[in-house]
Amino acid sequence: MITVSNLAVQFGKRILYKDVNIKFTTGNIYGIIGANGAGKSTLLRAISGELEPSKGSIEMAPGERMSVLEQDHFKYDNYAVLDTVLMGHGPLWACMKEKEALYMKEDFSDADGIRAAELEEKFAELGGWTADSDAAQLLQQLGIPTELHYKCMAELSNREKVRVMLAKALFGNPDNLLLDEPTNDLDLDTVQWLEDYLSNVEQTVLVVSHDRHFLDAISTHTVDVDYGKINVFAGNYSFWYQSSQLALRQQQNQKAKAEEKKKELEEFIRRFSANVAKSKQTTSRKKMLEKLNVDDIEPSTRKYPGIIFQMEREPGNQILQVENLSAVEEDGTVLFKDVNFQIEKGQKTVFLSHNPKAMTALFEIINGHREPQSGSYKWGVTITTAYLPLDNNAFFQTDLNLVRWLSQYGEGNDVEMKAYLGRMLFSQEDCDKKASVLSGGEKMRMMIARMQLRKANCLILDTPTNHLDLESIQAFNNNLVNYKGNVLFASHDHEFIQTVADRIIELTPNGTIDKLMTYDDYIADPTVQARKAELYR
């Protein structure tokens, strides 16, 4: 349990929030949401003790241990992988190190013998005898094979380090667990494993994430960091979003009677509670909405960008034909080979792979930015494309302000360009900023505005939710569902894939899987899973 009392965080004249009083209780998982820069990660840093708050206190119950998912992936470069995970249990690691130092003494005294006995007892109480095997099992479940367990952390790739750091945070079942964007750089299968793992823990867990499906799967409560305030609501992200939108519509409809509003909200709670009862979560969590009061539901003050993709021309029946396409990395790694598919009019296709470089290579090839190892592709004559690449840094190495930057990619005067920027939540003052100083999220919104100017009938999106906040992801997602053209995309966002894609093509070094189905059906289909096991052997 974590108790936050009268917390205030201020940087110079800017007050992030003040008078925050929250009790995070055992057995609940709190999904922390808020716009970029609202202070989500700052809240975790204050609770973990990494950041000294301007005011207030944070306390844990006596004897409890806290674990944090660290973001510095180079901090443990001089340690072995397995040791790094063991260090996640601070008291156990300290006990192990003291034991080692004691037994290495040449002049082992009677006092040392007494201390050694104490340490052995403590070591056993902390689960020391199974610690190595427990850590190894956790690493394997997160996709780190046994042959890497005794390697130095410096030898691992960044994606592998992310998984080790996650194993370190989870190791030893800490009483309080703080996770900041735990799904970053994880593939969809590993995210699913983490969902299952967290859905069955009995600790206090605080999670910052932009992955809506992940938040929905694990959260019992939503912590909304918004406009200098922090509020806690029962329910997961979908409940918070849908209920706040319902309350907003009711607020705008002044003619609705109070009793009718109450009935509508109560019906919403009843339906949502029934859905929660069917989830994987424990019995106690299934009851998380039972005591919710209608008065607790308030309209959201969030601002959502106006993402609207329109087509300048209707596409013909010939969209894209790909024949015998193959791609190989410079080091000889086969990304995919002999890929054949034909995109039909109106299809929205997601491309999957255990190696994310495969999707990027495919998109770069069909956009003419990379040569394939073999094969060919052909676009229909009526098709116009708009491409959102994975890496957009090259677009922003310029001193142009936002208006001038956007003007490069479409027709229109400054007023029209500012209107586009306004819909993407850039203020009048922002319009004069240089494009080179934008944050990752701001760059993504600019790239989306650039795509809208194209008025293309086929969108190609390489991991489009990267760097976006939940509001932007929600707006992007909603528009793609209603978009009439074709969409070719890659994503690690389960909800994005499930709601947008009607076709799934998985690329492997040994062939492809091509299915006309939703993502939920795809991962539940035993024939698909058997085929995947065969292709990734």
Side-chain angles (χ1 to χ4, degrees):
M1 183 174 71
I2 302 171
T3 303
V4 178
S5 304
N6 299 316
L7 180 73
V9 175
Q10 182 172 349
F11 297 107
K13 293 182 179 180
R14 186 191 177 200
I15 300 174
L16 271 185
Y17 26 75
K18 62 181 180 179
D19 301 326
V20 177
N21 292 279
I22 306 173
K23 184 174 286 187
F24 299 104
T25 55
T26 303
N28 287 315
I29 298 183
Y30 297 84
I32 303 175
I33 64 172
N36 288 342
K40 303 182 295 296
S41 297
T42 301
L43 177 63
L44 291 190
R45 290 172 59 211
I47 291 173
S48 70
E50 181 187 345
L51 173 71
E52 182 72 26
S54 306
K55 183 184 176 183
S57 63
I58 293 131
E59 297 177 350
M60 289 190 296
E64 288 191 346
R65 183 168 69 89
M66 178 181 288
S67 185
V68 180
L69 176 58
E70 297 180 79
Q71 303 297 319
D72 184 354
H73 300 156
F74 302 99
K75 184 177 179 180
Y76 299 93
D77 273 2
N78 295 325
Y79 294 91
V81 169
L82 196 64
D83 284 347
T84 301
V85 177
L86 294 172
M87 290 168 72
H89 194 322
L92 175 61
W93 180 255
C95 181
M96 292 171 63
K97 293 291 104 178
E98 188 177 350
K99 271 180 53 181
E100 288 177 12
L102 202 58
Y103 288 134
M104 289 178 66
K105 291 181 67 173
E106 294 181 1
D107 53 341
F108 195 82
S109 65
D110 290 344
D112 291 332
I114 294 171
R115 179 57 181 160
E118 293 172 348
L119 289 172
E120 291 293 357
E121 183 178 358
K122 183 179 180 181
F123 181 74
E125 289 176 355
L126 294 172
W129 296 114
T130 61
D132 280 9
S133 60
D134 291 344
Q137 183 181 18
L138 196 53
L139 284 167
Q140 288 175 327
Q141 289 171 334
L142 283 165
I144 303 297
T146 306
E147 56 266 27
L148 296 181
H149 292 184
Y150 295 95
K151 285 186 175 291
C152 191
M153 283 286 285
E155 298 179 59
L156 270 59
S157 69
N158 191 60
R159 294 175 65 83
E160 291 167 336
K161 285 182 179 180
V162 166
R163 294 162 189 255
V164 175
M165 299 305 286
L166 182 55
K168 176 179 179 292
L170 299 176
F171 178 68
N173 297 317
D175 303 286
N176 302 290
L177 181 60
L178 310 186
L179 302 174
D180 192 353
E181 296 291 357
T183 63
N184 277 4
D185 290 318
L186 298 184
D187 61 36
L188 286 160
D189 291 338
T190 309
V191 172
Q192 181 65 58
W193 176 87
L194 185 59
E195 286 178 9
D196 294 339
Y197 180 93
L198 291 176
S199 291
N200 293 295
V201 302
E202 293 300 329
Q203 298 100 312
T204 305
V205 184
L206 278 63
V207 181
V208 171
S209 179
H210 289 158
D211 187 325
R212 295 161 298 162
H213 186 275
F214 180 71
L215 287 176
D216 279 350
I218 66 167
S219 299
T220 61
H221 295 74
T222 297
V223 180
D224 184 25
V225 183
D226 190 22
Y227 290 94
K229 297 180 181 179
I230 300 179
N231 294 305
V232 180
F233 302 95
N236 58 20
Y237 172 77
S238 285
F239 179 82
W240 171 86
Y241 174 73
Q242 293 172 28
S243 62
S244 64
Q245 292 297 302
L246 174 57
L248 180 60
R249 290 194 298 272
Q250 288 188 342
Q251 185 184 70
Q252 293 168 343
N253 183 8
Q254 299 298 330
K255 294 180 181 179
K257 295 179 181 178
E259 192 60 32
E260 291 176 355
K261 290 182 180 180
K262 184 177 180 180
K263 285 182 179 179
E264 188 177 11
L265 289 169
E266 286 176 340
E267 172 61 17
F268 173 78
I269 293 171
R270 187 192 64 76
R271 284 188 287 104
F272 199 90
S273 297
N275 290 335
V276 168
K278 298 174 185 175
S279 74
K280 301 175 185 176
Q281 298 186 351
T282 59
T283 303
S284 61
R285 291 183 187 164
K286 292 173 185 174
K287 298 178 180 179
M288 65 186 177
L289 298 175
E290 287 183 358
K291 297 181 181 179
L292 184 65
N293 192 304
V294 170
D295 295 333
D296 293 336
I297 297 179
E298 298 177 352
S300 172
T301 55
R302 286 284 199 281
K303 293 182 179 179
Y304 293 81
I307 299 177
I308 304 172
F309 291 108
Q310 297 175 325
M311 300 185 298
E312 192 166 53
R313 65 181 298 182
E314 181 76 16
N317 292 324
Q318 302 299 316
I319 310 298
L320 174 64
Q321 180 77 40
V322 169
E323 294 182 350
N324 301 317
L325 212 61
S326 300
V328 179
E329 290 284 81
E330 290 183 0
D331 63 2
T333 301
V334 177
L335 298 176
F336 54 81
K337 67 178 181 181
D338 301 328
V339 172
N340 294 275
F341 62 83
Q342 180 172 308
I343 300 297
E344 303 296 335
K345 185 175 180 179
Q347 278 182 344
K348 297 173 182 176
T349 305
V350 64
F351 292 87
L352 306 177
S353 177
H354 283 183
N355 188 343
K357 291 182 179 179
M359 288 86 79
T360 296
L362 175 67
F363 294 152
E364 289 289 293
I365 289 169
I366 64 176
N367 277 282
H369 301 156
R370 172 174 175 162
E371 289 297 319
Q373 194 75 12
S374 64
S376 62
Y377 65 93
K378 183 179 181 181
W379 289 101
V381 294
T382 63
I383 304 305
T384 54
T385 62
Y387 178 36
L388 184 67
L390 180 65
D391 183 0
N392 59 37
N393 286 322
F395 289 87
F396 295 95
Q397 295 174 2
T398 174
D399 288 333
L400 294 175
N401 66 28
L402 302 196
V403 175
R404 298 271 74 78
W405 186 93
L406 191 58
S407 296
Q408 301 174 99
Y409 303 109
E411 298 179 358
N413 56 36
D414 285 3
V415 173
E416 291 170 314
M417 292 300 119
K418 287 180 179 179
Y420 270 101
L421 293 171
R423 287 198 292 272
M424 298 306 295
L425 304 184
F426 290 100
S427 67
Q428 179 70 32
E429 184 179 347
D430 288 335
C431 292
D432 294 324
K433 286 200 301 189
K434 290 183 179 179
S436 57
V437 304
L438 297 179
S439 68
E442 289 171 329
K443 287 178 180 177
M444 281 296 287
R445 283 189 276 129
M446 290 295 291
M447 292 295 288
I448 295 169
R450 169 183 174 270
M451 291 184 71
Q452 291 178 79
L453 285 172
R454 292 274 298 164
K455 296 183 179 179
N457 53 32
C458 182
L459 307 179
I460 305 169
L461 312 169
D462 193 349
T463 324
T465 60
N466 271 9
H467 303 295
L468 293 179
D469 57 26
L470 281 167
E471 290 69 49
S472 298
I473 293 171
Q474 191 76 57
F476 205 167
N477 197 159
N478 291 348
N479 186 253
L480 287 183
V481 169
N482 298 315
Y483 178 66
K484 301 302 181 185
N486 285 91
V487 183
L488 312 178
F489 72 105
S491 178
H492 48 65
D493 186 314
H494 185 126
E495 185 72 12
F496 205 90
I497 298 172
Q498 171 63 18
T499 53
V500 174
D502 54 26
R503 181 179 180 182
I504 296 172
I505 298 178
E506 184 151 0
L507 308 170
T508 84
N510 301 304
T512 60
I513 305 172
D514 190 344
K515 295 289 184 179
L516 290 169
M517 58 174 58
T518 67
Y519 182 61
D520 282 346
D521 289 340
Y522 185 80
I523 59 179
D525 190 324
T527 61
V528 168
Q529 299 313 308
R531 178 64 175 154
K532 284 179 67 171
E534 178 185 338
L535 291 175
Y536 282 113
R537 259 191 328 211

